[in-house]
Amino acid sequence: MELNRKIKPNNFKLPKGIEKFFKRIFHGLKSFAGFFWRKMCENKTFARFVYVTLPPKIKKIRDYILSNKKKAGIIGSFTVAVLLILFIVTYINTVDSKFSREGNDDAEFGMVLQNYSTFDHSEKTHIAVKLSWDDGAIDLNGGRAYAKIKATVYPINLENQEIEWSTSDEEIATIDENGFITAANPGNVTITAILKSEGKTSEAKLAVRQPVSGIFLPTSTITLNSGGVGRLLSVRIFPENATNKNVIWKSKNSKVARVDSEGHVTPVSVGMTEVTATTEDGEYVGKCFVNVVNPSVDVQAITLKNEADMKVMVGDNVTAVVTVSPSNAKNKTLKWSSDNEGVALVSQTGRIRGISEGIANITVESVNGKKQTFSVEVVASDSKDPFDLNETVEALEVTGGVTYTTYDITFPRAVNIQMSQNPSPKIWRSGGAVNATEAETAEYMNPNNYYTDAYKYQFLDLSSPNGVSEESLNAYLADKGVMQGMGAVFIEAAREYNVSEVYLVAHACLESGNGTSQLARGVDVNGTTVYNLFGIGAYDSDPTGNGSQRAYELGWYSVEEAIKGGAKWISENYINNAEGNQNTLYKMRWNPENPGYHEYATDVGWAVKQAVSIEQIFSSFDEAVLSFDVPVYSGQIPPSIEE
């Protein structure tokens, strides 16, 4: 045996079995390729590509290979390697095949060619319609929403691929022949695609949602008894057809009141808290103020505290101060009347005005019928000059208290009137004044919302003197510019025009920059220096010019005359106005006697903001006696003001 004999290439022959294997592969591939090519060329687009578009591209590829032989060699080697791997895999998977034998030749292995449904539309072909999505959701915007869905047919070369579209509810959404969806109402629909030539169908789910645009709590304030039953709050979601109306309830102070997931508020202890409802969709917030008070009872007695003061001069006023017991009485609303209005008139705040000499009986009555009657004597007027500053100002004995003024109008009706005004109520937001919503207006207008701590000063009776001494006022005014040493002037002006002396000081300080503004220091008008400490007539367009012109017209040629004249203007136009009797900041802003008419400001928060500022000034006078006048709308339970 010649182990080292070389085999010449021209003498090399394949083993018979391998040669037959390659022949089978060749004939199989040739048959398959021919069938595949014929089918593909039935498509005009494919045929145009192969015979028209492709040849120039092949020429470009050939030119690229000739000019980039190294890169082409690498790509070719990679392709050969891939084909070799495919050959090996085919061989391994066909070794044990029971492929049929031809003649007497034994087949050691065979290859089976798959009959792909793409190439043969026989009865066994699997036809399917696949949609671009199975589940979808869209949000309505302005009452409409749009979407697009696509259908793909398998096999992809099926001759008739016409799709017919439909929806399960055209009231919710419609679809055209191209798969464009138009939604008009919230809800759920099923989109169906039908392959008309084969009857094959496919479905997709579509959820049409209506987003939430707002929330409103019809009840903005509630009062509950400690240890008593709770209350279920109702809520309105906008728009009415919103898809997700779920809200999250929360109490800012669960030690005062708790709220469950359904909006049921349960009182825990005496105090005040805020319950909020927040929408899951959009996180819009509505709120309700909750007052928890001790269990209430009916009024048992009404007592006049300043009976000794029931003597008044003709044209003068005196306030009757009463207490209602017990302090936790359910409804402290009082009604006042005079049996001789020719002698004395009485307002619903207990303010008595002398008309002519004589005696009149004043009666104050609670809602449950408890009464107290007392006499007031009206005497001749004293001609003493109230502004004789050379005399020492005598101390005035005053008494405080809380009175409740009732109004026939309901609170919701009063709010509606405010919303109908032009200009409409305003609120400061993002550095500017914008129109306030009905809920925002109701929040600040409701007496039950802001009545604790400094807020109660919006109900301070500004027509009642506070009994502050001249010495105390001068001490406070020591660094207040032109108002230094004017304590006696403020007291005399307050007594003459029935205005709180501390309020006059507070108002003047706020409007004049603590006595240092140009209007306070004096402005020359037509050769005369005039003063304006209360900003009366100082309109925003030209505050100095307008304010000084008003002072000139009214003859305010000194600081003293500006204080007296300002007190008179405030008294006659607001605090003791014959038509409105707007004797509190609250009444100046909202005028419950005649809502929407003769109101001092448009800002819904004006009274509350002023109350905080005025409380800071009042806190400087420990001896000040305070009286409060709380409005009570028809059917409303007033808050309990602590003196």
Side-chain angles (χ1 to χ4, degrees), residues 496-499 554 565-582 598:
E496 170 66 11
Y497 298 111
N498 298 315
V499 182
L554 296 175
K568 179 181 179 182
W569 188 93
I570 293 171
S571 176
E572 292 179 350
N573 286 276
Y574 285 95
I575 294 178
N576 294 293
N577 180 275
E579 296 181 3
N581 192 34
Q582 293 167 273
H598 195 253

Side-chain angles (χ1 to χ4, degrees), residues 312-338:
V312 61
M313 292 183 292
V314 173
D316 207 347
N317 298 276
V318 65
T319 299
V321 180
V322 300
T323 58
V324 176
S325 59
S327 60
N328 62 337
K330 181 178 181 180
N331 191 342
K332 296 182 179 179
T333 302
L334 301 175
K335 181 179 180 181
W336 296 81
S337 62
S338 169

Side-chain angles (χ1 to χ4, degrees), residues 158-402:
L158 188 67
E159 292 183 2
N160 189 346
Q161 298 191 9
E162 183 180 356
I163 296 293
E164 184 178 86
W165 296 96
S166 66
T167 70
S168 60
D169 191 338
E170 293 192 349
E171 292 292 325
I172 297 175
T174 59
I175 188 169
D176 66 12
E177 66 275 9
N178 297 313
F180 287 100
I181 301 168
T182 301
N185 292 293
N188 298 300
V189 294
T190 299
I191 305 296
T192 303
I194 305 174
L195 180 60
K196 295 182 65 174
S197 62
E198 302 291 338
K200 298 289 185 179
T201 64
S202 185
E203 294 182 346
K205 304 294 183 182
L206 175 65
V208 181
R209 302 176 302 205
Q210 174 61 65
V212 172
S213 62
I215 185 174
F216 175 66
L217 269 64
T219 304
S220 60
T221 304
I222 61 174
T223 300
L224 304 174
N225 291 329
S226 176
V229 297
R231 180 169 174 179
L232 180 65
L233 296 179
S234 60
V235 61
R236 290 177 59 189
I237 305 296
F238 300 104
E240 295 292 340
N241 62 343
T243 301
N244 182 1
K245 293 187 176 182
N246 293 334
V247 298
I248 301 171
W249 293 91
K250 184 178 180 181
S251 172
K252 285 191 174 181
N253 188 348
S254 58
K255 294 182 179 180
V256 173
R258 297 189 303 267
V259 62
D260 64 17
S261 60
E262 302 298 323
H264 189 276
V265 181
T266 302
V268 178
S269 61
V270 174
M272 180 178 179
T273 186
E274 186 178 277
V275 169
T276 59
T278 305
T279 62
E280 286 186 355
D281 180 11
E283 296 185 350
Y284 295 94
V285 180
K287 57 186 176 181
C288 174
F289 289 93
V290 179
N291 298 306
V292 180
V293 299
N294 287 319
S296 56
V297 296
D298 290 334
V299 173
Q300 299 299 317
I302 302 173
T303 304
L304 178 65
K305 295 181 63 176
N306 58 336
E307 187 172 0
D309 298 329
M310 292 300 101
K311 185 176 182 179
V312 61
M313 292 183 292
V314 173
D316 207 347
N317 298 276
V318 65
T319 299
V321 180
V322 300
T323 58
V324 176
S325 59
S327 60
N328 62 337
K330 181 178 181 180
N331 191 342
K332 296 182 179 179
T333 302
L334 301 175
K335 181 179 180 181
W336 296 81
S337 62
S338 169
D339 70 345
N340 191 346
E341 294 187 348
V343 172
L345 292 174
V346 62
S347 72
Q348 293 307 305
T349 63
R351 187 80 172 166
I352 303 168
R353 184 173 184 81
I355 303 300
S356 64
E357 294 182 62
I359 295 178
N361 294 314
I362 305 298
T363 299
V364 56
E365 181 178 2
S366 67
V367 173
N368 67 327
K370 299 297 181 181
K371 296 181 180 181
Q372 172 70 300
T373 300
F374 55 90
S375 297
V376 60
E377 182 182 3
V378 181
V379 298
S381 175
D382 188 346
S383 60
K384 175 184 175 182
D385 181 4
F387 292 113
D388 184 0
L389 300 182
N390 294 321
E391 295 186 9
T392 303
V393 178
E394 297 180 359
L396 177 65
E397 184 179 352
V398 295
T399 56
V402 180

Side-chain angles (χ1 to χ4, degrees), residues 457 460 462 502-503 506-507 510 585 609-619:
Y457 280 79
L460 183 68
L462 305 178
V502 179
Y503 170 71
H507 193 150
L510 292 172
L585 293 172
K609 297 172 185 176
Q610 293 295 317
V612 174
S613 298
I614 288 176
E615 186 272 341
Q616 294 176 348
I617 295 177
F618 266 84
S619 65

